[in-house]
Amino acid sequence: GEADKFKTITAGEFEAELTADEDYTIANVVVLMGGEDVTSSAYNDTNNTITISSVTGNLQIIATATA
């Protein structure tokens, strides 16, 4: 459900896997932490995972899916 899209963490590690509906592909992912772009170190485009070993600010994940 909608509530599953949001998670609160106070400190520590964050891991997530992005998934798209059938016949769609994840594209154009941007990961921001504390307003800074951390996409290159946090996002693995081979398996669509986001891993941040030490969260130091608010996270924002922006992604699209294409057919």
Side-chain angles (χ1 to χ4, degrees):
E2 188 69 25
D4 295 336
K5 295 180 183 177
F6 300 97
K7 182 178 181 182
T8 300
I9 41 179
T10 55
E13 184 176 22
F14 174 82
E15 294 180 337
E17 180 179 47
L18 302 180
T19 58
D21 288 341
E22 189 175 341
D23 298 324
Y24 285 81
T25 303
I26 299 289
N28 305 317
V29 175
V30 176
V31 181
L32 302 172
M33 181 168 56
E36 304 239 353
D37 189 338
V38 295
T39 307
S40 63
S41 63
Y43 180 61
N44 180 327
D45 62 358
T46 302
N47 57 11
N48 294 320
T49 57
I50 298 167
T51 304
I52 299 174
S53 60
S54 180
V55 175
T56 59
N58 291 337
L59 295 178
Q60 183 177 12
I61 301 165
I62 305 160
T64 60
T66 57

Coordinates of all heavy atoms in Angstrom, one line a residue:
G1 N 0.8 -1.2 0.0 CA 0.0 0.0 0.0 C 0.8 1.2 0.0 O 2.1 1.2 0.0
E2 N 0.2 2.4 0.0 CA 0.8 3.7 0.0 C 1.8 3.8 1.2 O 2.9 4.4 1.0 CB -0.2 4.8 0.0 CG 0.3 6.2 -0.2 CD 0.9 6.4 -1.6 OE1 0.4 5.8 -2.5 OE2 1.7 7.3 -1.7
A3 N 1.4 3.4 2.4 CA 2.3 3.5 3.5 C 3.6 2.8 3.4 O 4.6 3.2 4.0 CB 1.5 3.0 4.8
D4 N 3.6 1.7 2.6 CA 4.8 1.0 2.4 C 5.9 1.7 1.6 O 7.1 1.3 1.6 CB 4.6 -0.3 1.6 CG 3.7 -1.3 2.4 OD1 3.6 -1.2 3.7 OD2 3.0 -2.1 1.8
K5 N 5.6 2.8 1.0 CA 6.5 3.6 0.2 C 7.4 4.5 1.1 O 8.3 5.1 0.7 CB 5.8 4.5 -0.8 CG 5.1 3.6 -1.8 CD 4.3 4.5 -2.8 CE 3.6 3.6 -3.8 NZ 2.8 4.5 -4.8
F6 N 7.0 4.7 2.4 CA 7.7 5.6 3.3 C 8.3 4.9 4.5 O 7.6 4.0 5.0 CB 6.7 6.7 3.7 CG 6.1 7.5 2.6 CD1 4.9 7.2 2.1 CD2 6.8 8.5 2.0 CE1 4.3 7.9 1.1 CE2 6.3 9.2 1.0 CZ 5.0 8.9 0.5
K7 N 9.5 5.2 4.8 CA 10.1 4.6 6.0 C 10.9 5.6 6.7 O 11.6 6.5 6.1 CB 11.1 3.5 5.4 CG 11.8 2.7 6.5 CD 12.7 1.6 5.9 CE 13.4 0.9 7.0 NZ 14.2 -0.2 6.5
T8 N 10.9 5.6 8.0 CA 11.6 6.5 8.9 C 12.8 5.8 9.5 O 12.6 4.7 10.1 CB 10.7 7.1 10.0 OG1 9.6 7.8 9.4 CG2 11.5 8.1 10.8
I9 N 14.0 6.3 9.3 CA 15.2 5.8 10.0 C 15.8 7.0 10.7 O 15.9 8.1 10.2 CB 16.1 5.2 9.0 CG1 16.3 6.0 7.7 CG2 15.8 3.8 8.6 CD1 17.2 5.4 6.7
T10 N 16.3 6.7 11.9 CA 16.9 7.7 12.7 C 18.4 7.8 12.5 O 19.0 8.9 12.6 CB 16.6 7.6 14.2 OG1 17.0 6.2 14.6 CG2 15.1 7.7 14.4
A11 N 19.1 6.7 12.1 CA 20.5 6.7 11.9 C 20.8 5.3 11.3 O 20.0 4.4 11.4 CB 21.3 7.0 13.1
G12 N 22.0 5.2 10.8 CA 22.5 3.8 10.4 C 22.4 3.7 8.9 O 22.4 4.6 8.1
E13 N 22.2 2.4 8.5 CA 22.2 2.0 7.1 C 20.8 2.0 6.5 O 19.9 1.7 7.2 CB 22.8 0.6 6.9 CG 23.0 0.1 5.5 CD 23.7 -1.2 5.4 OE1 23.7 -2.0 6.4 OE2 24.2 -1.5 4.3
F14 N 20.8 2.3 5.2 CA 19.5 2.3 4.4 C 19.7 1.4 3.2 O 20.7 1.6 2.5 CB 19.1 3.7 4.0 CG 17.9 3.7 3.1 CD1 16.6 3.6 3.6 CD2 18.0 3.8 1.7 CE1 15.5 3.6 2.8 CE2 16.9 3.8 0.9 CZ 15.7 3.7 1.4
E15 N 18.8 0.5 3.0 CA 18.9 -0.3 1.8 C 17.5 -0.4 1.2 O 16.5 -0.5 1.9 CB 19.3 -1.8 2.1 CG 20.8 -1.8 2.5 CD 21.2 -3.3 2.8 OE1 20.4 -4.1 3.1 OE2 22.4 -3.5 2.8
A16 N 17.4 -0.4 -0.2 CA 16.1 -0.5 -0.8 C 16.3 -1.0 -2.2 O 17.4 -0.9 -2.8 CB 15.4 0.9 -0.9
E17 N 15.3 -1.7 -2.7 CA 15.3 -2.2 -4.1 C 14.2 -1.5 -4.9 O 13.0 -1.6 -4.4 CB 15.2 -3.7 -4.2 CG 15.3 -4.2 -5.6 CD 15.2 -5.7 -5.7 OE1 14.3 -6.3 -5.0 OE2 16.0 -6.3 -6.4
L18 N 14.5 -0.9 -6.0 CA 13.4 -0.3 -6.8 C 12.8 -1.3 -7.7 O 13.6 -2.1 -8.3 CB 14.0 0.9 -7.6 CG 14.6 2.0 -6.8 CD1 15.1 3.1 -7.8 CD2 13.7 2.6 -5.8
T19 N 11.5 -1.4 -7.8 CA 10.9 -2.3 -8.7 C 9.9 -1.5 -9.6 O 9.3 -0.5 -9.2 CB 10.1 -3.4 -8.0 OG1 9.2 -2.8 -7.1 CG2 11.1 -4.3 -7.2
A20 N 9.7 -2.0 -10.8 CA 8.7 -1.4 -11.7 C 7.6 -2.5 -12.0 O 7.8 -3.7 -11.9 CB 9.4 -1.0 -13.0
D21 N 6.5 -2.0 -12.4 CA 5.4 -2.8 -12.9 C 5.9 -3.7 -14.1 O 6.8 -3.3 -14.8 CB 4.2 -2.0 -13.3 CG 3.5 -1.5 -12.1 OD1 3.7 -1.9 -10.9 OD2 2.7 -0.5 -12.3
E22 N 5.2 -4.8 -14.3 CA 5.5 -5.6 -15.4 C 5.5 -4.8 -16.7 O 4.7 -3.9 -16.9 CB 4.5 -6.7 -15.5 CG 4.9 -7.8 -16.5 CD 3.9 -9.0 -16.5 OE1 3.1 -9.2 -15.5 OE2 3.9 -9.7 -17.5
D23 N 6.5 -5.1 -17.6 CA 6.7 -4.4 -18.9 C 7.3 -3.0 -18.8 O 7.3 -2.3 -19.7 CB 5.4 -4.4 -19.7 CG 4.9 -5.8 -20.0 OD1 5.7 -6.7 -20.3 OD2 3.7 -6.0 -20.1
Y24 N 7.7 -2.6 -17.6 CA 8.4 -1.3 -17.4 C 9.8 -1.5 -16.9 O 10.1 -2.5 -16.3 CB 7.6 -0.5 -16.4 CG 6.3 0.1 -17.0 CD1 5.2 -0.7 -17.0 CD2 6.3 1.4 -17.5 CE1 4.0 -0.2 -17.6 CE2 5.1 1.9 -18.0 CZ 4.0 1.1 -18.1 OH 2.8 1.6 -18.6
T25 N 10.7 -0.5 -17.1 CA 12.0 -0.6 -16.7 C 12.3 0.7 -15.9 O 12.0 1.8 -16.3 CB 13.0 -0.6 -18.0 OG1 12.6 -1.8 -18.8 CG2 14.4 -0.7 -17.6
I26 N 13.0 0.5 -14.8 CA 13.5 1.6 -14.0 C 14.4 2.5 -14.8 O 15.3 2.0 -15.4 CB 14.1 1.1 -12.7 CG1 13.2 0.3 -11.8 CG2 14.7 2.3 -11.9 CD1 12.1 1.0 -11.2
A27 N 14.3 3.8 -14.7 CA 15.1 4.7 -15.4 C 15.3 6.0 -14.6 O 14.5 6.3 -13.7 CB 14.6 5.0 -16.8
N28 N 16.3 6.8 -14.9 CA 16.4 8.2 -14.4 C 16.4 8.3 -12.9 O 15.6 9.0 -12.3 CB 15.4 9.1 -15.0 CG 15.4 9.1 -16.5 OD1 16.5 9.1 -17.1 ND2 14.3 9.0 -17.2
V29 N 17.2 7.4 -12.2 CA 17.2 7.4 -10.8 C 18.1 8.5 -10.2 O 19.2 8.7 -10.7 CB 17.6 6.1 -10.2 CG1 17.7 6.1 -8.7 CG2 16.6 5.0 -10.7
V30 N 17.6 9.3 -9.2 CA 18.4 10.3 -8.5 C 18.2 10.0 -7.0 O 17.1 9.9 -6.6 CB 18.0 11.7 -8.9 CG1 18.8 12.7 -8.1 CG2 18.2 12.0 -10.4
V31 N 19.3 9.9 -6.3 CA 19.2 9.8 -4.8 C 19.9 11.0 -4.2 O 21.1 11.3 -4.4 CB 20.0 8.5 -4.4 CG1 19.9 8.3 -2.9 CG2 19.4 7.3 -5.1
L32 N 19.1 11.7 -3.4 CA 19.6 12.8 -2.6 C 19.6 12.5 -1.1 O 18.7 11.9 -0.6 CB 18.7 14.0 -2.9 CG 18.5 14.5 -4.3 CD1 17.4 15.5 -4.4 CD2 19.8 15.0 -4.9
M33 N 20.7 13.0 -0.5 CA 20.8 12.8 1.0 C 21.2 14.2 1.5 O 22.2 14.7 1.2 CB 21.8 11.8 1.4 CG 21.9 11.6 2.9 SD 22.8 10.2 3.5 CE 24.4 10.4 2.7
G34 N 20.3 14.8 2.3 CA 20.5 16.1 2.9 C 20.6 17.1 1.8 O 21.4 18.1 1.9
G35 N 19.9 16.9 0.6 CA 19.9 17.8 -0.5 C 21.1 17.6 -1.5 O 21.2 18.3 -2.5
E36 N 22.0 16.7 -1.1 CA 23.2 16.5 -2.0 C 23.0 15.2 -2.8 O 22.5 14.2 -2.3 CB 24.5 16.3 -1.1 CG 24.7 17.5 -0.2 CD 26.0 18.2 -0.5 OE1 26.8 17.7 -1.3 OE2 26.2 19.2 0.1
D37 N 23.4 15.3 -4.1 CA 23.3 14.1 -5.0 C 24.3 13.0 -4.6 O 25.5 13.3 -4.7 CB 23.5 14.6 -6.4 CG 23.1 13.5 -7.4 OD1 23.1 12.3 -7.1 OD2 22.8 13.9 -8.6
V38 N 23.8 11.9 -4.2 CA 24.7 10.8 -3.8 C 24.4 9.6 -4.7 O 24.8 8.4 -4.4 CB 24.5 10.4 -2.3 CG1 25.0 11.5 -1.4 CG2 23.1 10.0 -2.0
T39 N 23.8 9.8 -5.9 CA 23.4 8.7 -6.8 C 24.6 7.8 -7.1 O 24.5 6.6 -7.1 CB 22.7 9.3 -8.0 OG1 21.7 10.2 -7.6 CG2 22.2 8.2 -8.9
S40 N 25.7 8.4 -7.5 CA 26.8 7.6 -8.0 C 27.4 6.7 -7.0 O 27.9 5.6 -7.3 CB 27.9 8.6 -8.5 OG 28.4 9.3 -7.5
S41 N 27.3 7.0 -5.7 CA 27.8 6.1 -4.7 C 26.7 5.2 -4.0 O 27.0 4.2 -3.4 CB 28.5 6.9 -3.6 OG 27.6 7.8 -2.9
A42 N 25.5 5.6 -4.2 CA 24.4 4.9 -3.5 C 23.6 4.0 -4.4 O 23.0 3.0 -3.9 CB 23.5 5.9 -2.8
Y43 N 23.5 4.3 -5.7 CA 22.6 3.5 -6.6 C 23.4 2.5 -7.5 O 24.4 2.9 -8.1 CB 21.8 4.5 -7.5 CG 20.9 3.8 -8.4 CD1 19.8 2.9 -7.9 CD2 21.0 3.9 -9.8 CE1 19.0 2.3 -8.8 CE2 20.1 3.2 -10.6 CZ 19.1 2.4 -10.1 OH 18.3 1.8 -11.0
N44 N 22.9 1.3 -7.5 CA 23.5 0.2 -8.3 C 22.5 0.0 -9.4 O 21.4 -0.6 -9.2 CB 23.8 -1.0 -7.5 CG 24.4 -2.1 -8.4 OD1 24.1 -2.3 -9.5 ND2 25.2 -3.0 -7.7
D45 N 22.8 0.4 -10.7 CA 21.8 0.3 -11.7 C 21.7 -1.1 -12.3 O 20.8 -1.4 -13.1 CB 22.0 1.3 -12.8 CG 23.4 1.2 -13.5 OD1 24.2 0.4 -13.1 OD2 23.6 2.0 -14.5
T46 N 22.7 -2.0 -12.0 CA 22.6 -3.4 -12.4 C 21.5 -4.1 -11.8 O 20.8 -4.9 -12.4 CB 23.9 -4.1 -12.1 OG1 25.0 -3.4 -12.8 CG2 23.9 -5.5 -12.6
N47 N 21.2 -3.9 -10.5 CA 20.2 -4.6 -9.8 C 19.1 -3.7 -9.2 O 18.3 -4.1 -8.3 CB 20.7 -5.6 -8.8 CG 21.6 -4.9 -7.7 OD1 21.7 -3.7 -7.7 ND2 22.3 -5.7 -7.0
N48 N 19.2 -2.4 -9.5 CA 18.2 -1.4 -9.0 C 18.2 -1.3 -7.5 O 17.1 -1.2 -7.0 CB 16.9 -1.6 -9.6 CG 16.8 -1.4 -11.1 OD1 17.4 -0.5 -11.6 ND2 16.1 -2.3 -11.8
T49 N 19.3 -1.3 -6.9 CA 19.3 -1.2 -5.4 C 20.0 0.1 -5.0 O 20.9 0.6 -5.7 CB 20.1 -2.4 -4.8 OG1 21.4 -2.4 -5.3 CG2 19.4 -3.7 -5.0
I50 N 19.6 0.5 -3.8 CA 20.1 1.7 -3.2 C 20.7 1.3 -1.9 O 20.0 0.7 -1.1 CB 19.1 2.8 -3.0 CG1 18.5 3.2 -4.4 CG2 19.6 4.0 -2.2 CD1 17.2 4.1 -4.3
T51 N 22.0 1.6 -1.6 CA 22.6 1.3 -0.3 C 23.4 2.5 0.1 O 24.2 3.0 -0.6 CB 23.6 0.1 -0.5 OG1 22.9 -1.0 -1.1 CG2 24.2 -0.3 0.8
I52 N 23.0 2.9 1.4 CA 23.7 4.0 2.0 C 24.2 3.5 3.4 O 23.3 3.1 4.2 CB 22.8 5.2 2.1 CG1 22.4 5.7 0.8 CG2 23.5 6.3 2.9 CD1 21.4 6.8 0.8
S53 N 25.5 3.4 3.6 CA 26.0 2.8 4.8 C 25.8 3.6 6.0 O 25.7 3.1 7.1 CB 27.5 2.4 4.6 OG 28.2 3.6 4.4
S54 N 25.8 4.9 5.8 CA 25.6 5.8 7.0 C 24.7 7.0 6.6 O 25.2 7.9 5.9 CB 27.0 6.3 7.5 OG 26.8 7.2 8.6
V55 N 23.5 7.0 7.0 CA 22.5 8.0 6.6 C 22.9 9.3 7.5 O 22.9 9.2 8.7 CB 21.1 7.6 6.8 CG1 20.1 8.7 6.6 CG2 20.8 6.4 5.9
T56 N 23.1 10.4 6.8 CA 23.4 11.6 7.5 C 22.5 12.8 7.3 O 22.7 13.9 7.7 CB 24.8 12.1 7.1 OG1 24.9 12.3 5.7 CG2 25.9 11.0 7.5
G57 N 21.4 12.5 6.5 CA 20.4 13.6 6.2 C 19.2 12.9 5.6 O 19.1 11.7 5.4
N58 N 18.2 13.8 5.4 CA 16.9 13.3 4.8 C 17.2 12.7 3.4 O 18.0 13.3 2.6 CB 15.9 14.5 4.6 CG 15.4 15.0 5.9 OD1 15.4 14.2 6.9 ND2 14.9 16.2 5.9
L59 N 16.6 11.6 3.1 CA 16.7 10.9 1.8 C 15.6 11.3 0.9 O 14.4 11.3 1.3 CB 16.8 9.4 2.0 CG 17.9 8.9 2.8 CD1 17.8 7.4 2.9 CD2 19.3 9.3 2.1
Q60 N 15.9 11.5 -0.4 CA 14.9 11.7 -1.4 C 15.3 10.8 -2.6 O 16.4 10.9 -3.1 CB 14.7 13.1 -1.8 CG 13.6 13.4 -2.8 CD 13.5 14.9 -3.2 OE1 14.3 15.7 -2.8 NE2 12.4 15.2 -3.8
I61 N 14.4 9.9 -3.0 CA 14.6 9.1 -4.1 C 13.7 9.4 -5.2 O 12.5 9.4 -5.0 CB 14.5 7.6 -3.7 CG1 15.5 7.3 -2.6 CG2 14.8 6.7 -4.9 CD1 15.2 6.0 -1.9
I62 N 14.2 9.8 -6.4 CA 13.4 10.1 -7.5 C 13.7 9.2 -8.7 O 14.9 8.9 -9.0 CB 13.7 11.6 -8.0 CG1 13.6 12.5 -6.8 CG2 12.9 12.0 -9.2 CD1 14.3 13.9 -7.0
A63 N 12.6 8.6 -9.3 CA 12.9 7.6 -10.3 C 11.7 7.6 -11.2 O 10.5 7.9 -10.8 CB 13.1 6.2 -9.8
T64 N 11.9 7.2 -12.5 CA 10.8 7.0 -13.4 C 10.9 5.6 -13.9 O 11.9 4.9 -13.8 CB 10.9 8.0 -14.6 OG1 12.1 7.8 -15.3 CG2 10.8 9.4 -14.2
A65 N 9.8 5.1 -14.6 CA 9.8 3.8 -15.2 C 9.3 4.0 -16.6 O 8.4 4.8 -16.9 CB 9.0 2.8 -14.4
T66 N 10.0 3.4 -17.6 CA 9.6 3.5 -19.0 C 9.1 2.1 -19.5 O 9.6 1.1 -19.1 CB 10.8 4.0 -19.8 OG1 11.9 3.1 -19.7 CG2 11.2 5.4 -19.4
A67 N 8.2 2.2 -20.5 CA 7.6 1.0 -21.1 C 8.5 0.5 -22.2 O 9.3 1.2 -22.8 CB 6.2 1.3 -21.6

